[in-house]
Amino acid sequence: MSEQHRIPVTVLGLGTMGRAIADTIHRGGHPTTIWNRTAGRADSLVAKGVALAADPVAAVEASPVVVVCLLDDESVRGTLTPLVDALAGRLVVNVTTVTPKQARQTSDWAVEHGIEYLDGAIMATPEMIGLPVASLLYSGSRAAFDTHRELLELLGGARWFGTDAGLASLYDLALLGSMYSMFAGVAQGAAMLASEGVPAAEFVAMAGPWIDAMLSALPYHAEYYDSGDYTAEVQSLDFNKAAVDAIAEAARDQGVGTDVVAAVQTLIDRQVAAGHGKDGFARIFESIRRPIPRA
Ligand code: FVH
């Protein structure tokens, strides 16, 4: 076992994800200490021999590396602020989902108090932690990432995005945003068919392969976004507007909501109104990249 495998690690936060992380680190051979606001959530780990600290200060003092996996930024700041003295000289790896701004603020706070800081974002569900399919994004201290890479890779593939602590979170939220929009689109389609009694299971059996087939278009969209040249030989925005307007009309006719498709209509309409109807659908990127300033 290498030296890295023996580094004591503390995990603060034993929700579903925190428990998966602590369990994986413990099984990876690190002396592991845990703490959670509600002590009962530690039971399954304690039964496996993981050390439950009496209080958060004792938890932090047990290890040079402190992994934080709490609900949100507010719970992170509320937990870490009173621990500032105990944390000085240690590494905090915060894998809580936060915004880039929150990650930068926590990083600034940490550095100001002599705490090394690595922000992490988990692209995985708890069951995936420790498996090759899990992917974790990091930004912040490069030295910490390099020094503890072996530990970090126990949890899943580890990729570093830069010294700006907000970057891992920005990638995380960009990926999550794509996922939520995709699921919302499927919900729209399922609701339209449900209006005629079609089970969602039947719909998703078709929607899955359809979305899969469409994924091959993503690199072409990226080329448009990166170049800013949206010249299209086929399927102009005008063409797509007709299709998307038809989806909205059909949804209304079926008595179901149009909120999801209305968002797409708004993105298209702004570009068409600005005279870009002959450009390709990818031009909606400009509606998002340059939003109308709020009054
Ligand atoms: N679970 C998942 O699939 C996702 C995958 C992607 C990344 N997320 C993020 O991971 C963070 C933790 O998620 P979780 O699944 O462990 O969440 P919960 O099971 O709800 O556990 C929440 C823990 O946070 C503690 N907590 C909440 N509020 C406070 C507070 N004010 N002070 C101290 N601790 C707090 C809570 O403690 P308790 O309720 O048991 O006492 C849990 O330990 C999250 O950012 C996801 O977005 C997971």
Side-chain angles (χ1 to χ4, degrees):
M1 191 179 276
S2 78
E3 275 308 302
Q4 274 216 2
H5 269 114
R6 283 190 283 271
I7 291 173
V9 178
T10 287
V11 179
L12 302 181
L14 300 173
T16 330
M17 184 55 84
R19 286 200 303 275
I21 289 172
D23 188 38
T24 305
I25 291 173
H26 170 67
R27 284 187 288 109
H30 295 267
T32 307
T33 301
I34 50 177
W35 175 84
N36 193 57
R37 181 181 61 173
T38 309
R41 291 187 99 170
D43 291 351
S44 59
L45 291 165
V46 171
K48 292 181 183 178
V50 180
L52 174 63
D55 56 61
V57 172
V60 166
E61 286 177 347
S63 314
V65 178
V66 179
V67 177
V68 181
C69 185
L70 298 170
L71 181 64
D72 55 11
D73 183 64
E74 196 182 337
S75 51
V76 170
R77 297 308 288 265
T79 302
L80 296 190
T81 304
L83 299 175
V84 64
D85 292 338
L87 286 168
R90 302 175 204 275
L91 166 65
V92 166
V93 183
N94 181 17
V95 294
T96 307
T97 302
V98 296
T99 67
K101 184 176 173 185
Q102 290 165 342
R104 289 173 187 134
Q105 285 170 341
T106 304
S107 173
D108 289 348
W109 170 84
V111 170
E112 189 185 321
H113 291 92
I115 303 162
E116 201 169 19
Y117 187 80
L118 197 53
D119 203 81
I122 307 172
M123 309 310 302
T125 57
E127 313 76 57
M128 291 157 68
I129 293 299
L131 302 177
V133 68
S135 155
L136 285 87
L137 324 178
Y138 297 96
S139 56
S141 168
R142 174 83 212 200
F145 181 79
D146 288 341
T147 305
H148 298 288
R149 188 155 193 167
E150 207 178 313
L151 163 67
L152 300 175
E153 287 195 335
L154 274 181
L155 305 177
R159 184 168 163 193
W160 185 76
F161 287 86
T163 51
D164 172 353
L167 285 176
S169 155
L170 189 58
Y171 276 85
D172 177 34
L173 298 181
L175 290 166
L176 288 179
S178 310
M179 178 195 78
Y180 281 118
S181 300
M182 185 269 290
F183 282 130
V186 172
Q188 169 80 59
M192 288 171 73
L193 282 169
S195 70
E196 294 295 342
V198 178
E202 183 184 326
F203 173 60
V204 300
M206 295 173 72
W210 169 244
I211 292 168
D212 255 357
M214 291 300 102
L215 289 180
S216 61
L218 288 184
Y220 300 105
H221 283 248
E223 265 180 46
Y224 284 121
Y225 302 160
D226 287 339
S227 68
D229 178 358
Y230 300 97
T231 310
E233 280 159 29
V234 289
Q235 304 217 337
S236 65
L237 260 183
D238 287 335
F239 171 92
N240 282 286
K241 177 174 167 50
V244 175
D245 286 351
I247 297 167
E249 189 177 334
R252 269 191 301 275
D253 291 346
Q254 295 296 131
V256 305
T258 58
D259 307 71
V260 176
V261 69
V264 184
Q265 284 181 296
T266 302
L267 300 175
I268 293 174
D269 289 348
R270 267 191 60 204
Q271 295 305 316
V272 170
H276 302 298
K278 302 290 170 243
D279 278 352
F281 179 76
R283 191 164 187 113
I284 64 162
F285 180 63
E286 296 298 330
S287 293
I288 300 166
R289 186 159 68 156
R290 298 194 179 85
I292 296 171
R294 290 185 188 198

